[in-house]
Amino acid sequence: MINRSITGTTEQFTATVRVPGDKSLSHRALLFAGMAEGDSLVTGLGFGLDVAATAMSLRGLGVTIDHGRVRSPGIRGWHDPTGPINCGNSGTTMRLLAGVLATSHVSARLIGDASLSRRDMNRLVEPLRSLGGRIDTSDGTAPLTVGGATRVTGADVVIPTASAQVRTAFELAALAADRPSTIDSPPGFRDHTERWLTATSRGSFESETRFRVDPGPLPPARYDVPGDPSSAAFLWAAAAISRGSSVTTPEVSLNPGRIGFLQVLDAMGAKIEATVTDSVGGDPVGTVTVTGQDLTGIDVDGELVAAALDELPLVAVVAAYAEGITRVRDAAELRVKESDRIASVEQMLVELDGGIQTFEDGFDVIGTGFLNGGIVETHHDHRIAMAAAIAATRSSGTVEIVDSNIAAVSWPDFYETLGALWS
Ligand code: S3P
């Protein structure tokens, strides 16, 4: 286990940084390409361990992947893996693959690391079984046994959370059905999958949130994965809490389900400039510049929570450096991420002498404008490790991040990139 120490600075920075390829889109591009028969090309793939887990999983099913070149016999030509498929720390790999496999002829067992093995997989069971998909859990968690379906029928389901993973698992499973299916959920989810299915004529939105899947094969294609806004968010936060500092991140995904954190920073008083420059697979892509100014606490709840979901630990850090109280609610999903992120964030801020009170579905951060040094436990959660590093950039003391290398799950050279902001 490697620990890392970071000491705060009052120096400002101005930088332009290209962030790694979007994790959500990298998983999806590999899966879409792997399901299609023929040759596809994926450029800009994220290089974190989570995306590598999806690539390894597909290889085990008969797909060849070499530097973004994907060659597949198509899902109908996939074979049973020779052993369990190891999804590592990646909830997206496990849930999306469970969907794809549940309604396929392939039989597989999906396993994960200790953190992933604690996460809820029950949420997949009803939607996938309603299609005739096969999925069994071990008391609602991994290992999962999936696949070997004999009859796949269309279904109409409504799920209680705005989960893009569950929606995608269902939608990809429903491509194998004998008639169209629909799925509905609360709003705010990242709709990357729906945009790709729409672009390839495999479905369309029937309302703001209800999507219809038209069964059939996916075509081989070229995907140019844009930068990851959930990675860029750490740099945006570093600029936001450093008055006068500024960071520009070109070519990041600006999918509406991904930019809640920019709305939060804007409402807190940071200067945000975002320009859409392109569109990839139906997803808007653009350049974002964040400049630090005086920040004040705000309320974050409702739809905004889903669109800022992975960034809520960062919201807590930024809120500590703001004036006044920031209230985050409707975020009970944070309890079931790579760690219980409400508890992890509380432990981090208490350790750094910040003010925080937690609730079942969120937290209040009492912004004082400063944090001290201390030792932060990351609980095998990459976003907690990286949020601690951002807290450390302005802390009045040294922050030691325990098991700091867990950041490699989404961003292997994160600490080097962060340090280079000031060079
Ligand atoms: C993801 C969806 C979100 C997000 C996760 C990636 C995706 O999870 O937290 O990091 O790529 O679909 P939920 O679907 O559980 O909200």
Side-chain angles (χ1 to χ4, degrees):
M1 186 146 71
I2 294 174
N3 298 356
R4 182 180 291 262
S5 294
I6 301 177
T7 305
T9 175
T10 50
E11 265 178 55
Q12 294 168 341
F13 63 85
T14 301
T16 297
V17 183
R18 277 186 185 276
V19 297
D22 186 64
K23 187 156 82 70
S24 289
L25 282 165
S26 295
H27 288 297
R28 286 164 172 75
L30 286 174
L31 276 175
F32 300 155
M35 291 171 75
E37 184 183 341
D39 292 351
S40 295
L41 178 65
V42 187
T43 67
L45 269 178
F47 45 83
L49 299 180
D50 272 13
V51 174
T54 292
M56 279 304 293
S57 306
L58 287 167
R59 287 192 185 108
L61 296 162
V63 179
T64 310
I65 303 172
D66 179 22
H67 291 92
R69 288 178 201 287
V70 181
R71 173 165 291 181
S72 176
I75 185 165
R76 285 166 190 270
W78 287 5
H79 56 69
D80 287 359
T82 52
I85 295 180
N86 192 344
C87 304
N89 190 246
S90 178
T92 311
T93 305
M94 183 170 281
R95 292 188 176 131
L96 269 48
L97 202 57
V100 174
L101 292 176
T103 55
S104 78
H105 62 285
V106 173
S107 294
R109 192 172 152 80
L110 307 185
I111 60 171
D113 71 4
S115 149
L116 181 53
S117 300
R118 279 193 297 273
R119 297 180 67 182
D120 173 55
M121 294 295 149
N122 255 340
R123 56 185 61 196
L124 295 171
V125 171
E126 252 184 66
L128 295 179
R129 284 193 187 153
S130 70
L131 293 165
R134 290 221 171 137
I135 173 166
D136 284 303
T137 70
S138 323
D139 282 338
T141 57
L144 303 181
T145 312
V146 290
T150 45
R151 184 153 179 265
V152 186
T153 57
D156 300 293
V157 307
V158 179
I159 57 169
T161 47
S163 168
Q165 290 178 350
V166 177
R167 289 183 65 105
T168 301
F170 177 88
E171 287 156 357
L172 296 182
L175 287 171
D178 58 3
R179 64 177 169 84
S181 299
T182 61
I183 185 159
D184 206 350
S185 75
F189 53 89
R190 59 196 73 192
D191 61 356
H192 304 300
T193 306
E194 288 84 355
R195 284 172 190 253
W196 183 250
L197 293 180
T198 303
T200 54
S201 306
R202 291 268 72 94
S204 56
F205 274 104
E206 290 186 336
S207 74
E208 190 205 339
T209 52
R210 190 176 57 247
F211 191 78
R212 193 190 71 242
V213 178
D214 295 319
L218 289 175
R222 177 187 170 126
Y223 312 82
D224 295 305
V225 176
D228 194 330
S230 296
S231 297
F234 293 98
L235 309 183
W236 299 337
I241 62 176
S242 170
R243 203 176 189 289
S245 287
S246 171
V247 70
T248 298
T249 51
E251 284 176 46
V252 292
S253 169
L254 294 177
N255 181 292
R258 303 296 299 282
I259 55 173
F261 185 60
L262 284 176
Q263 288 165 261
V264 170
L265 289 181
D266 182 47
M268 291 179 96
K271 185 176 168 204
I272 313 291
E273 291 157 276
T275 322
V276 175
T277 52
D278 203 355
S279 161
V280 175
D283 252 86
V285 174
T287 300
V288 175
T289 300
V290 174
T291 306
Q293 305 189 132
D294 289 339
L295 304 174
T296 48
I298 60 160
D299 288 356
V300 180
D301 49 29
E303 214 173 297
L304 189 51
V305 164
L309 192 63
D310 292 337
E311 287 65 68
L312 292 176
L314 262 183
V315 170
V317 168
V318 174
Y321 285 107
E323 286 284 328
I325 300 179
T326 294
R327 294 183 186 82
V328 173
R329 292 292 186 281
D330 305 329
E333 273 293 300
L334 287 183
R335 297 258 180 218
V336 293
K337 290 294 176 185
E338 283 85 331
S339 69
D340 173 344
R341 285 187 174 158
I342 293 177
S344 302
V345 158
E346 178 182 33
Q347 196 186 5
M348 167 169 67
L349 286 194
V350 168
E351 171 68 16
L352 303 182
D353 298 326
I356 181 165
Q357 187 183 359
T358 61
F359 301 88
E360 196 39 45
D361 69 338
F363 48 78
D364 285 354
V365 171
I366 299 93
T368 54
F370 77 91
L371 290 173
N372 280 324
I375 300 171
V376 177
E377 296 290 338
T378 49
H379 301 283
H380 218 58
D381 186 334
H382 58 130
R383 300 210 192 274
I384 297 297
M386 294 190 281
I390 299 308
T393 61
R394 304 292 295 171
S395 67
S396 325
T398 298
V399 175
E400 187 174 345
I401 305 166
V402 176
D403 192 16
S404 56
N405 276 14
I406 188 67
V409 157
S410 56
W411 195 348
D413 55 4
F414 166 72
Y415 299 103
E416 291 74 17
T417 308
L418 181 64
L421 289 179
W422 284 269
S423 59

